[in-house]
Amino acid sequence: MKHIRNFCIIAHIDHGKSTLADRLLDFTGSVTEREKKEQLLDNMDLERERGITIKSHAIQMEYIYKGETYILNLIDTPGHVDFSYEVSRSIAACEGALLVVDAAQSIQAQTISNLYLALENDLEIIPVLNKVDLPSANPEEVTDDIVDLLGCNAEDVIPASAKTGIGIEEILSAIIEKIPAPKGVEDEPLQALIFDSVYNPFRGVETYFRVINGEIHKGQKIKFLATGKTYFADEVGTLKLIQHPKKVIKTGDVGYLITGIKDAREVKVGDTITDAANPTKNMIEGFENVKPMVFAGIYPVDTEDYEELRGAMEKLQLNDASLVFAPESSAALGFGFRCGFLGMLHLEIIQERLEREFDMTVITTVPNVSYHAYTKKDPDEQIIVNNPSDLPDPSSLDRVEEPFIKASIITKSDFVGPVMSLCIEKRGIITNQTYLTPERVELSFDMPLAEIVFDFYDRLKTVSKGYASFDYSPIGMRASKLVKVDVLINGNSVDALSALIHSDNAYDIGKKMCEKLKELIPRQQFDIPIQAAIGAKIISRETVKALRKDVTAKCYGGDISRKRKLLEKQKKGKKRMRQVGNVEIPQQAFMAVLKLND
């Protein structure tokens, strides 16, 4: 056990985490020349295109240091804020962390939030200054920032370049020297932490775990504590680039487990694995069921594809247990699903994967968050509102609560004004402002989650010229004055476009929605009124004018009453047409509501 080191790499997006992992694999000889490729651990097409890590990966390396062989387990973590729960479980499986900071960009919001997660779990932090070979690098200044943040000495910071391989040897020796070996008791009952799972279509769910106490044998009967289900360990082994089956995984080591489970929902990240015959008394702390934060409706473009879409969603759920969906129907779009996501990036990725992997073209409705409504009849009974149409009648409402988040934004001091005004416009309340250096400021806000679901991230990048970095964590529900804004097209309410909005912004948003839809809805043979309404009160109206034939073209001269007669006849026809007319709403109209400020 004293030769095992478990560590993870924490960094903000794009600070060179995946590239550093590649260099470590090269240097320890874990990858042959033939298997080498850039971002080796990011194996999904989407990850490679966007340059982000969506699923975390674990890999084992062997390294000879001072004549002794050490086993190094790298437990990779996704960097994006939507996947922070997965990051927290990966960190709980480690004893140390490499804190990677880009020498050109310095410390960003997620560097700090992931660092706090690591410090809460008492990890040994090894600071690494990456990209020192860049012409724009500023190593002395950034080293000072790291020293201020961690309280370490300047010589503890390892200058490195994952691209060229500078400093990799120093990083490996620091991992072995500084990170403590795992502590655990070999003869106690089995206790192992699940930190990830992946779905293999041929073998079922592969569970990645770290043994805390005891050991796990091939063929052993095991139990998952959170779900209470028992299985047989058909195969256990360690994770190199390919899986290496073994007879036993001992205390402190990291491995994979195959039990033939076909449903990814049965394997929960953060759960404890134990022996079925001799279970452990204490579950590993920190387990929680992942709660979706953002909800949206996903509908097939052609209603006949509903069953195909269901099949695609079920297959996706096998791969991604944090996707939640339930069937629903809409008057405007027919049958579809109400889906819960961890955040906007998660929603984008699911939509993209549906299109790529399953050839499904889908319509996504306006994303919204989950509210709690309370009625006057029973003020203690909580009604969960995932869809604006679930909101009880306004006359019987006592109050509505919405989820709030604590947002931390790090930006250059030149952009404090624009960032503050953006956050205040989004109903944010500033709670703290700290100057990390004379140039860089950390701003903390309490904000409603619903406000950042739309276009907040894009606008933040715009007002700060791309310099601001953003991170958030939920802080619970608070009462708010919310109203439901309906959109009526040709007098019919379109449920897919209705939204719950704070009453102060309702008029502006209603007006913008109508203007946007006026541009997007094609002209028909009759006038189409587009209205925004709160309850029975119309707050805004735009009209898409009719295409009209020039019926008076044949009248040259003569009495005015002849022209008027023809125009009146046309007017009656248009009116009758409007009563029976049906308006097709194009796909981009549903998405345009998200970008009202463009």
Side-chain angles (χ1 to χ4, degrees), residues 492-503:
N492 302 322
S493 171
V494 181
D495 52 358
L497 288 171
S498 59
L500 282 177
I501 298 168
H502 195 267
S503 57

Side-chain angles (χ1 to χ4, degrees), residues 29-68:
S30 309
V31 186
T32 61
E33 282 297 323
R34 203 179 66 183
E35 293 166 329
K36 262 187 204 174
K37 58 179 180 180
E38 290 296 306
Q39 277 81 39
L40 191 72
L41 294 182
D42 291 350
N43 53 11
M44 210 187 285
D45 293 347
L46 260 177
E47 293 182 312
R48 305 182 73 82
E49 273 170 37
R50 290 183 174 218
I52 56 174
T53 305
I54 297 167
K55 280 302 286 178
S56 52
H57 299 267
I59 195 157
Q60 191 175 80
M61 300 172 264
E62 284 176 12
Y63 183 59
I64 297 168
Y65 179 70
K66 293 185 178 170
E68 296 195 30

